[in-house]
Amino acid sequence: YHDMFRNFMFLRYLRRMTFPDTSNTRYSSYLDACAELLPHLSQYRDFFKYINGAKQSGILNHQVQVVCDGLNDVPTQTEMAAMILYQEAVSHPYICVVRGGSTTSQNALDMGKLHGDLANFMKKLIDHPEIVMESTATPETATLTGRKEWKNPAAVAAVHRMVEAGTHEHLRGVFVAFLKRALETWQRFSEEFAEEGAIANLTPNEKLAAWMPT
C-alpha cells in the first residue's frame, strides 16, 4: 500500500513523505517509525478507513487488520512512547556524536569518555525518568549531549500529552525497564573501553597509529 499511502497523505494532509524503512532494519528505523506514528495516529486511522472503504468486501485482510488494531492498542502506544523517549534522550544524541564531524576528525579509540557518559546518563534516567517524561523537559537537560533541539518535537509533545492525560499509566515502568535492558547491552557493547582496558591504556601515539573511523 506504500504508493497509495504516499498519495493519500499528500492529498489529504499535504504531507510528502516516505515511511521509515523498517523492512531493511536500518539503524534507528523502528525508533523513527514510532516517532512518525504516535503524533499522527488519527491520520493513519483515516488511511485504514480509506483502505477499508476501497475494498468491495469492506473487510481488511488479517495483516492490515493487525496493524490497524495496533494503532488503537494502549500497550502498543505505550511501547512506542518509550522508544520515542529513548531515541530523543539517548540514541539520536549518541549517533550525532559518532557520525558528526569529518571522517578524519574523530578516532573510534577516543570514544571511551562518550560511552562512560552514556552509561552514567542512562543510570540517571533510570532513577529519574521524569527528566525527559515531564512536559517541562528540555533537550538541554534531557538528552545525553545537551542538545538544543529535539530530533522530533511533535513526537515528544505527543508523549508529554499522554503523560499529562494519564491515559498510559504504565509508561514510566515500561520506559525504565527499557532503559535497564538497554544499559546492559550498551555496557556489553562498549566493554572494550573499560577504564583499565587495553584501549584506555594506549598512548596518544598508539591510538593515532591504530586510528579507525567512528
Side-chain angles (χ1 to χ4, degrees), residues 140-154:
E140 288 88 351
T141 58
T143 62
L144 171 64
T145 56
R147 292 179 59 79
K148 293 183 179 181
E149 298 178 341
W150 299 114
K151 179 183 190 301
N152 193 320

Side-chain angles (χ1 to χ4, degrees), residues 27 87-118 121 143-148 186 193 211-214:
Y27 187 86
Q87 180 179 40
E88 293 287 348
V90 179
S91 180
H92 181 66
Y94 171 85
I95 206 64
C96 284
V97 173
V98 171
R99 300 191 68 175
S102 70
T103 57
T104 59
S105 65
Q106 296 187 111
N107 187 347
L109 301 181
D110 291 326
M111 293 291 105
K113 183 180 183 303
L114 173 64
H115 291 93
D117 291 344
L118 183 146
F121 179 70
T143 62
L144 171 64
T145 56
R147 292 179 59 79
K148 293 183 179 181
W186 273 112
F193 293 105
W211 184 93
M212 62 184 73
T214 53

Side-chain angles (χ1 to χ4, degrees), residues 12 35 41 48 60 65 78 118 133 135-136 143 153 185 188:
R12 183 71 62 88
L41 283 175
F48 282 105
L60 297 174
Q65 186 64 57
T78 300
L118 183 146
M133 287 183 64
S135 59
T136 55
T143 62
T185 304
R188 185 170 67 251

Side-chain angles (χ1 to χ4, degrees), residues 1-189:
Y1 291 110
H2 207 158
D3 288 341
M4 182 188 295
F5 164 75
R6 295 179 67 184
N7 291 334
F8 175 87
M9 283 297 184
F10 176 68
L11 293 173
R12 183 71 62 88
Y13 297 106
L14 298 180
R15 297 181 66 207
R16 291 189 182 276
M17 60 166 299
T18 298
F19 195 80
D21 193 10
T22 54
S23 60
N24 289 318
T25 60
R26 294 177 58 194
Y27 187 86
S28 288
S29 60
Y30 285 88
L31 303 180
D32 289 336
C34 292
E36 163 58 26
L37 283 168
L38 197 64
H40 302 114
L41 283 175
S42 62
Q43 296 181 11
Y44 283 87
R45 290 174 181 137
D46 282 350
F47 175 63
F48 282 105
K49 289 179 181 177
Y50 173 76
I51 292 176
N52 195 31
K55 286 180 169 288
Q56 288 185 344
S57 65
I59 300 174
L60 297 174
N61 66 44
H62 176 70
Q63 184 178 20
V64 176
Q65 186 64 57
V66 167
V67 176
C68 189
D69 291 345
L71 297 179
N72 297 291
D73 181 60
V74 170
T76 300
Q77 294 170 5
T78 300
E79 291 181 3
M80 287 196 293
M83 293 173 73
I84 289 169
L85 294 176
Y86 176 77
Q87 180 179 40
E88 293 287 348
V90 179
S91 180
H92 181 66
Y94 171 85
I95 206 64
C96 284
V97 173
V98 171
R99 300 191 68 175
S102 70
T103 57
T104 59
S105 65
Q106 296 187 111
N107 187 347
L109 301 181
D110 291 326
M111 293 291 105
K113 183 180 183 303
L114 173 64
H115 291 93
D117 291 344
L118 183 146
N120 290 333
F121 179 70
M122 291 184 67
K123 291 173 184 177
K124 183 179 178 181
L125 282 181
I126 289 169
D127 292 336
H128 303 284
E130 65 276 3
I131 290 173
V132 66
M133 287 183 64
E134 290 185 349
S135 59
T136 55
T138 64
E140 288 88 351
T141 58
T143 62
L144 171 64
T145 56
R147 292 179 59 79
K148 293 183 179 181
E149 298 178 341
W150 299 114
K151 179 183 190 301
N152 193 320
V156 175
V159 175
H160 287 165
R161 286 194 297 270
M162 288 169 52
V163 173
E164 289 185 333
T167 53
H168 297 70
E169 58 181 340
H170 297 295
L171 176 54
R172 182 187 179 97
V174 169
F175 181 48
V176 169
F178 186 108
L179 288 169
K180 288 180 177 178
R181 294 307 299 271
L183 177 59
E184 291 177 11
T185 304
W186 273 112
Q187 290 174 325
R188 185 170 67 251
F189 170 76

